[in-house]
Amino acid sequence: MISQVFILSSKGDHLIYKDFRGGAGNDIVSIFYEKVTALTGDQPPVVMNHKDIYFVHIRQGGLYWVATTTAGSSPFTITEFLNRLAALVKDYCGSLSEKSVQMNFALIYELLDEIVDYGYIQTTSSDVLKNFIQTEAVTSRPFSLFDLSNVGLFGAETQQSKVAPSSAATRPIQSSREQGGKSEIFVDVIERMTVVIGSNGLLMKADVEGEIRVKCYMPSCSEMRIGLNEEFSIGKSQLRGYGAAVRVDECSFHQAVRLDEFDSHRILRLCPSQGEQTVMQYQLSDDLPSALPFRLFPTIERDNGGRLLMYMKLRCDLPPKSLSQELSSPDQSAELKPQSRAVVWKIARFAGGTQLSALFKLEVPSLSSASMLEVGPVGLSFELPKITATGLQIRFLRLSPIQPGPSQRWVRYVTHSDSYTIRI
Amino acid sequence: MPYLGGEETVRELRRALSNPNVQSDPLRYRNTILKVIRTMSQGVDVSGLFSEMVKACATVDVVQKKLVYVFLCSYATLNPELSLLVINTLRKDCQDPNPMVRSLALRNMTNLRLPSLVEYVEQPLTAGLRDRAACVRRVAVLGWAKLHNLHPSSEIDAAVVNELYSLLRDPDPVVMVNCLRALEEILKEEGGIAINKPITHHLLNRLKECDIWGQSEVLRVLQRYRPQSEDELFDILSLLDSFLVSPHPPVMAATLSLFLSISSNLPVISLAALERVSGPLLAACGSGSREMRFAAVCHIQLLLRSVPGLLGPHYKRFFCGYAEPAYIKERKMQVLVELVNDENVAMILDELKGYCTDVNTDTAQAAISAIGRIGRSYSDRCLQILTGLLGLKQDHITSAVVQTMRDLVWVCPQCSDTVCLALDGCEETLQDIQGRQALLWLLGVYGERISTAPYTLEVLIDRVRSEASLGIKMELLTATMRLFLCRPAETQDMLGRLLHYCIEEETDMCVRDQALLYYRLLHCGIEKTREVLQGRRSDPSLGVLIGRPAKPVSQWARCFNTLEPLSQGAVEAESDSRGSPEHVTYNSKPNADLSDTLSCSHIEEVHSGSDSAMRCSDSSTNVLASSIAAPLSLSLSPAVSPEDFEHLWLQRQALHTERGNEMEGYIEN
């Protein structure tokens, strides 16, 4: 049961406040914000309480999404609800930011009104909601097809803010109705890699969490068939086909997916609803089919002048693209962040099969041989377009019946670094 | 948030709202209302516009209606009379052919939260229960719960309750779940909805139709059900099996809760369920949402209490990502400590070692104390890492290492040799109070083996005048006393100086009192002093440590899937700041800064304060000895009034100065 829901900007401005059960003072928002800001640590805990009122909050799009509830509530339900709410707001407003929430407050109130009644979650399905939501989304910038040229990815949460979200899929789902055009569907295979490489260069851990997301802008729902690699196999024992197997450890599907052709032909059938949904999630541990995308060869030394020398050689082991233009001098930059005691080396583009080196010289007061131990680890954050670490591919994407009018289907692959750590 | 120019804005909005030109142009009208809501969201009090907004309610434009309702529901309680005007419009809307308008009107009618309007609302709500459209029935069902909570004392019509029970068979799953919710609230006094066999089986059979929110709600309510036979129990369990491995964490968690509650007297079933659920829980640990990860990791900690070895092979899933927030890292490290076994200990320690130099000091210290906990079973490897960390000469790392070593030595006395060797030179790096306190404790207890101990203490004693921390002073007193017992020749002089300072110049009562206590203790002879001060060097309750015993599931089943596991700090009773470890084992109070032995002797002294000083110190000695032997419970308020206390205190003070001078001579000798 949820008593209140509110959305705050990172500076504590009240963007949305909805009281479902009544009886709570209006100062509850300020109490929450005081609690958040009173903490010294960078990230406040997910659950905080003030007397009997429990605050559960998530951070998305730089905003605090907060629900107040009682101690007996399920943390899974409340967190999932807040995540879902944020996803819906993103679907309806196009993007998640302080600005978009501010501009679309009426729409968000309307959404909240339909999603939750008296503190009980009614529905979060966009199929149901689309019948009820009447307010138009306001976007700051009109959607333009030119933006499609640099198709990045919509929902992919990257740690790097520098990876700009493509605007192709950051438009409100409802605008298609009025613009009368574009019925599009995006199918994204998104993988997140978690890798730890030991100081001896050995791979200590490699995990891949992947998902297939569908974002649908089609007004009318038709059946979609997604074909995966024929040799896709789940679990350790079962291997299929003769080619290199594409294997995952565990795999789960959205409840709307029908799997009657999955066992024989690896085909997922579903009727996508408007907006974004995760069709399939899978996970693979330790046994990656391909080589790791990046290897780092670090050398750390102390020179006579008491300076720390860090020589980094970074190699990208992805297959080289035949027509890669940006080989020799990608624009790079390096910066020392004293606050986090880190050197940030930014590489805009990195072609497969190439290698980059850097030498960092650091003036460290009272550098001792012991403080060499403190250097490291190296964390890599990256986004690899058109590549999946598991090798999962989408063979085909068919819509039936054939859509009248023009429709476009997009299939995109991307691998993110969730945490790619190299110990020194 | 007060907003300058708020009144001006309100006046302008009122002018716009009552402008006939605006009213006749739907788009302008709607935009003006939008402005009102926006101003309201910013925290300006716009309640003055209530009557204008009531007028705006009568419109065919659904968007405008919704906006006005947002306004009305926020301010209705301030304007009960004017709200009566809205009721007519709302009641009319309840007859509207469009089901969306009907449900909207019904919902907002009940959201006004005005007890005076109840009589007008009951009739549309009754009609709403029989509406053709499911969306209206959903709202009507919950409407009854809202109505009931406006008048919690009044009896709700039995006919309505019966109707709600019958609506459990509604074809729409959301209506069914809402009925459950409404009945739970209405019948709260009777313990909620009656969960009998037919209802249970009906709900279970329809579980698949619900969405995940409905499923978790139904599963939660069903926890009250007790199957009548074992066959029925197994039927239910097998029916629920697919939900147990649901990819949606809310459903998975609710199912496990239900499993644990209905099979509470079949431990085998519970354990099997835990095993089954570990897959989805692990998947949730890798979820994209870090808040979800956190919830999952916290619940895994609960599971591990009963099945310590459950996730051993998956320990790598609990390695921290470098971009993860500190609160997740901390929990993951706690899990890693639980998962250590002979095969993975090297890998886990290697990983934890990497976190010890984290930029975030909390994470670094948590990693160090995690290594210390592993050290209880694998002391050699861990001590090697800890000793290595001392070489970094970072104050927060050194402090955490010294504290960890102190805790380790307390449970594993065999580590003391290595620790004694490692401590040399730490005092220069240590800055914070906890770290120095830990060092002092170690110096006191293992002083005979640390060659530099007297010199370290001497530096501190020379600086005691500028020492601000109470804890340090008291620990210093104890450490010096202990060292005096084993190395009298080197320590005698500095002990005299320290006691002199503490008794003569120190203003803090606790320190003075402790110094006086030690002073008199010395008077009683060296044997007596040794008896009191050289207590245990290790925790007597711990034998050889081979894993932790599995606790029964029932111990934590109740708080599974609640906020409790997320909000409590460390699972273990490992307090963050404290003095010496021997106090901790007897002490459940969070502030261990005031050492217990002291405060209890203190109270005791007050009671017997008028007696002679000699007897008094005797009695406190006995108390001290007994405090080591048996757990104490402290009374927080001594039964002495402030005036009496002052009187006693002054009396005793006079005595002390007298005796103090005598004793000074004794030590000097």
Side-chain angles (χ1 to χ4, degrees), chain A residues 133-148:
Chain A
I133 302 303
Q134 306 273 325
T135 315
E136 294 292 320
V138 190
T139 41
S140 48
R141 146 177 68 100
F143 170 67
S144 144
L145 258 188
F146 290 110
D147 295 337
L148 276 180

Side-chain angles (χ1 to χ4, degrees), chain A residues 222-227 253-262 266-272 279 396 398 400:
Chain A
S222 58
E223 195 194 59
M224 180 169 75
R225 296 166 82 230
I226 304 175
F253 302 93
H254 190 274
Q255 54 197 10
V257 177
R258 268 158 304 160
L259 297 170
D260 36 351
E261 287 182 73
F262 185 73
R266 294 306 188 211
I267 293 171
L268 309 175
R269 290 170 55 209
L270 77 156
C271 294
V279 173
F396 59 80
R398 286 195 200 116
S400 55

Side-chain angles (χ1 to χ4, degrees), chain B residues 430-443:
Chain B
L430 280 175
Q431 298 287 328
D432 65 333
I433 294 168
Q434 277 92 25
R436 286 194 293 159
Q437 254 177 312
L439 178 66
L440 281 171
W441 187 85
L442 284 166
L443 288 177

Side-chain angles (χ1 to χ4, degrees), chain A residues 1-2 6 43 76 90 99 104 142 157 161-162 176 195 214 219 233 244 247 263 329 344 369 414:
Chain A
M1 191 170 64
I2 297 159
F6 47 91
Q43 283 117 346
F76 294 104
K90 192 161 110 192
K99 199 172 168 201
N104 291 296
E157 285 88 12
S161 50
K162 64 175 187 275
S176 55
V195 171
V214 173
S233 60
R247 197 183 64 79
D263 278 341
S329 62
V344 180
S369 56
V414 74

Side-chain angles (χ1 to χ4, degrees), chain A residues 32 35-36 39 43-59 65-76 78-79 82, chain B residues 290-292 294-296 298-299 327 331 561-569:
Chain A
F32 169 79
K35 276 188 174 290
V36 164
L39 288 161
Q43 283 117 346
V46 177
V47 176
M48 291 182 288
N49 71 315
H50 172 72
K51 291 175 194 151
D52 302 344
I53 304 166
Y54 282 75
F55 299 100
V56 180
H57 82 279
I58 63 164
R59 292 289 302 266
W65 304 70
V66 195
T68 62
T69 180
T70 50
S73 308
S74 157
F76 294 104
I78 308 266
T79 319
L82 289 172
Chain B
R290 55 193 197 185
E291 290 82 7
M292 189 57 87
F294 179 64
C298 292
H299 281 85
Y327 58 81
R331 297 293 183 125
N561 202 20
T562 67
L563 297 180
E564 205 178 301
L566 278 79
S567 41
Q568 67 197 196

